[in-house]
Amino acid sequence: MSDGWSQSGLPGVWRRTIASVPDERGSFSEIWRQSWLEQLPEPSGHALEMRQANVSRSAAGVLRGLHVHRRQADLWVVLEGRPFVALVDVRPALDGRGPVQVHTVEASAGDAFFLPEGVAHGFYAPEPLTLVYLVTTEYDGSDELGFAWDDPSVAIPWPARDPIVSGRDAAAPPLSELLATLRDAAP
């Protein structure tokens, strides 16, 4: 796609490189413009607007995810580090088109990803990582869903077997339970 975005391995997931302008003082990077979203096809059939910005810092060895949202799209910008990113498209399983689709990618500082609703996401930080992410809804907790990062039915080839995970991520259900919950909640 023009204007800096390229299609990733999953429908509706887009990637771009954020330009950095270095000089003797350091560097300058523009990490967000609303017009970038306007360049993307509307993955949910509605215009997208970012409503909240967050910063996530992770120590080496941390794994976050896998998280999925029904009503929220994310825009990630990697500021520091080289995350191993795992994306799991649960949309085909929910609407009967087929099984989930898994895509992994190694990213680095300056990479940006647009993640639409229905694409579970997580990352492993092999080194310290700083990630800025913008979201299309303000956080209220009602749309924060997830499944086990090590679910064998998904078989993500994480670079570490024993990462540091949160209590919530350690206790996350298998993908099959998440899919049942999402199907039950569907209108």
Side-chain angles (χ1 to χ4, degrees), residues 99-183:
V100 300
Q101 299 172 38
V102 178
H103 181 70
T104 60
V105 63
E106 291 191 34
S108 58
D111 285 339
F113 295 90
F114 175 78
L115 309 170
E117 297 97 332
V119 174
H121 43 276
F123 61 82
Y124 173 74
E127 59 191 47
L129 174 67
T130 302
L131 177 74
V132 167
Y133 63 103
L134 297 106
V135 294
T136 56
T137 59
E138 291 183 11
Y139 180 79
D140 71 6
S142 67
D143 195 40
E144 187 71 23
L145 304 167
F147 65 94
W149 65 273
D150 59 351
D151 187 322
S153 72
V154 182
I156 294 171
W158 295 109
R161 295 184 189 269
D162 190 24
I164 302 163
V165 297
S166 70
R168 181 184 72 163
D169 288 346
L175 175 61
S176 59
E177 283 184 35
L178 170 71
L179 291 175
T181 298
L182 290 170
R183 283 188 200 109

Side-chain angles (χ1 to χ4, degrees), residues 55-59 62 64 79-80 123 128-131:
V55 175
S56 170
R57 291 184 178 90
S58 299
V62 166
R64 295 185 189 263
L79 295 184
E80 174 186 42
F123 61 82
L129 174 67
T130 302
L131 177 74

Side-chain angles (χ1 to χ4, degrees), residues 76-95:
W76 288 4
V77 179
V78 180
L79 295 184
E80 174 186 42
R82 299 176 39 87
F84 176 88
V85 177
L87 305 172
V88 181
D89 189 352
V90 301
R91 298 169 296 181
L94 293 175
D95 65 17

Side-chain angles (χ1 to χ4, degrees), residues 8 20-21 29 48 54 61 66 69 74 81 86 91 98 106 125 136 144 156 170 175 179:
S8 119
S20 179
V21 180
S29 298
L48 297 170
N54 306 296
L66 292 155
H69 307 281
D74 290 23
R91 298 169 296 181
E106 291 191 34
T136 56
E144 187 71 23
I156 294 171
L175 175 61
L179 291 175

Side-chain angles (χ1 to χ4, degrees), residues 9-73:
L10 295 175
V13 175
W14 296 89
R15 183 178 186 170
R16 75 181 295 135
T17 299
I18 303 295
S20 179
V21 180
D23 67 18
E24 64 279 354
R25 301 166 297 161
S27 67
F28 172 83
S29 298
E30 190 173 79
I31 65 168
W32 167 245
R33 284 185 179 217
Q34 178 65 29
S35 62
W36 292 353
L37 277 187
E38 295 162 3
Q39 297 163 1
L40 296 175
E42 295 175 359
S44 303
H46 56 83
L48 297 170
E49 184 177 312
M50 293 303 175
R51 302 273 183 185
Q52 182 174 321
N54 306 296
V55 175
S56 170
R57 291 184 178 90
S58 299
V62 166
L63 188 147
R64 295 185 189 263
L66 292 155
H67 305 141
V68 65
H69 307 281
R70 296 168 291 195
R71 300 178 306 273
Q72 174 182 296

